Amino acid sequence: VEAQFMSIFSSIGENVANSFIETPQQENQERIDFKKLYINLKDAESILVRFLGHADVVEYKSHSSWEKSLHNQTCTRKNGECAYCQAASYAKDNGMEDWNVYAKSRFLFAMYDLEKQEIRLFNASKNQAKVLFSTISEYKDDLDTTSMKFSRSGNKTETTYTLAPQLRIKDKKIQEAFDAASGLKVDEKTFEKALIVRTFNGQVKHLKELGFPVEKVFKNEIVTEPPIEVKDIKDDDLPF
Ligand SMILES: [Zn+2]
């Protein structure tokens, strides 16, 4: 399962990079209600979902550091330059350990929320993704007939997410929602639109705002680009 998991995701990761090239700008993203789109559970919360396919997941790379208030910034290295990668590399060479912000894999899972009756995304770390992917694969042949309870338990580093198949749906409305979702498919654009991708200058400006000594690394960059304004999105809203 392990090997299969890796091979499936790496090819999908390439597709993500291609989609960055096609839509490098942020035009769509300001219209997206990220709070609605992303599943953000608190400790002991759960939702009922239906999986519309057994591989509705994409991998991408992102930069994060709680210490530096750098939250889930999409890595653009596959599409050319990435200022966060360059900053991390400079930090490594110059002993700035607090700026060790190299890119890590994140995974977006698409699920159909049976209460809200819409496709929503969950942003998972690699370890969380392994568990989710393994459960989805295990029930791959039953996804068209089986709803899943998606739950969170614990906080911070103790947080775990689980998917539990439900033997039956007790609520009539949920059953109706489940049936109505038959035939729905997850569009690649759902994933594309869900990521905030800054331009290189935007990344440099962002690093400057966070206190990184940008003038040492990005001597020729003009950091006058206005910040991306995304309404309805706060650090607390996103589960990563
Ligand atoms: Zn990067």
Side-chain angles (χ1 to χ4, degrees), residues 4 23 47-48 60-62 80 86-87 104 107 120-122 133 135 139 151 155-156 168 173 181 183 237:
Q4 205 177 25
T23 54
I47 57 168
L48 284 171
Y60 72 107
K61 298 262 186 197
S62 100
Q86 291 182 21
K104 291 180 187 157
F107 298 81
R120 298 179 72 202
L121 299 178
F122 178 69
F133 194 80
T135 310
Y139 292 96
S151 327
N155 279 302
K156 295 180 182 171
R168 61 195 172 94
K173 269 197 169 167
D237 292 340

Side-chain angles (χ1 to χ4, degrees), residues 13-236:
E14 295 289 339
N15 291 338
V16 172
N18 290 336
S19 66
F20 290 165
I21 295 164
E22 284 156 23
T23 54
Q25 292 309 314
Q26 309 305 314
E27 287 168 35
N28 294 327
Q29 286 166 347
E30 294 185 32
R31 294 197 293 270
I32 290 180
D33 187 342
F34 284 89
K35 204 171 176 177
K36 232 176 118 192
L37 178 62
Y38 279 99
I39 296 165
N40 186 12
L41 301 175
K42 294 186 176 64
D43 185 12
E45 279 184 351
S46 67
I47 57 168
L48 284 171
V49 298
R50 172 176 179 163
F51 282 87
L52 302 174
H54 69 277
D56 292 337
V57 57
V58 293
E59 176 185 6
Y60 72 107
K61 298 262 186 197
S62 100
H63 296 271
S64 284
S65 161
W66 286 107
E67 199 187 328
K68 295 295 176 189
S69 298
L70 176 64
H71 300 306
N72 194 44
Q73 294 300 315
T74 310
C75 180
T76 52
R77 198 170 184 171
K78 284 207 160 185
N79 185 26
E81 295 181 301
C82 174
Y84 301 112
C85 280
Q86 291 182 21
S89 167
Y90 179 88
K92 195 184 171 215
D93 294 344
N94 291 277
M96 295 159 62
E97 281 169 24
D98 54 336
W99 277 103
N100 181 16
V101 294
Y102 66 93
K104 291 180 187 157
S105 284
R106 300 291 309 189
F107 298 81
L108 296 181
F109 285 86
M111 317 178 187
Y112 189 78
D113 184 325
L114 291 167
E115 267 164 54
K116 294 197 158 55
Q117 300 189 27
E118 61 194 9
I119 294 167
R120 298 179 72 202
L121 299 178
F122 178 69
N123 190 311
S125 68
K126 194 169 183 178
N127 285 337
Q128 292 164 349
K130 269 190 195 180
V131 176
L132 297 180
F133 194 80
S134 141
T135 310
I136 297 164
S137 301
E138 191 180 341
Y139 292 96
K140 179 172 141 174
D141 297 329
D142 301 304
L143 297 176
D144 288 346
T145 50
T146 311
S147 64
M148 297 263 199
K149 190 174 176 182
F150 182 47
S151 327
R152 169 179 172 165
S153 67
N155 279 302
K156 295 180 182 171
T157 54
E158 304 293 308
T159 306
T160 56
Y161 290 92
T162 47
L163 277 171
Q166 303 296 286
L167 294 177
R168 61 195 172 94
I169 298 172
K170 291 166 195 163
D171 188 299
K172 200 180 158 213
K173 269 197 169 167
I174 296 289
Q175 181 66 57
E176 281 168 9
F178 188 94
D179 296 340
S182 296
L184 280 182
K185 292 263 178 282
V186 175
D187 192 320
E188 239 175 77
K189 285 203 162 56
T190 306
F191 295 114
E192 282 174 29
K193 289 186 294 187
L195 291 178
I196 298 171
V197 185
R198 293 180 197 257
T199 61
F200 188 76
N201 276 356
Q203 293 173 337
V204 174
K205 184 169 191 291
H206 184 221
L207 281 164
K208 190 181 181 178
E209 285 163 8
L210 300 179
F212 186 86
V214 290
E215 60 287 343
K216 289 183 180 165
V217 188
F218 309 101
K219 296 185 177 69
N220 302 318
E221 302 308 320
I222 304 159
V223 288
T224 52
E225 181 172 301
I228 302 166
E229 282 184 40
V230 184
K231 288 169 200 156
D232 304 312
I233 187 168
K234 294 189 203 91
D235 295 337
D236 292 346

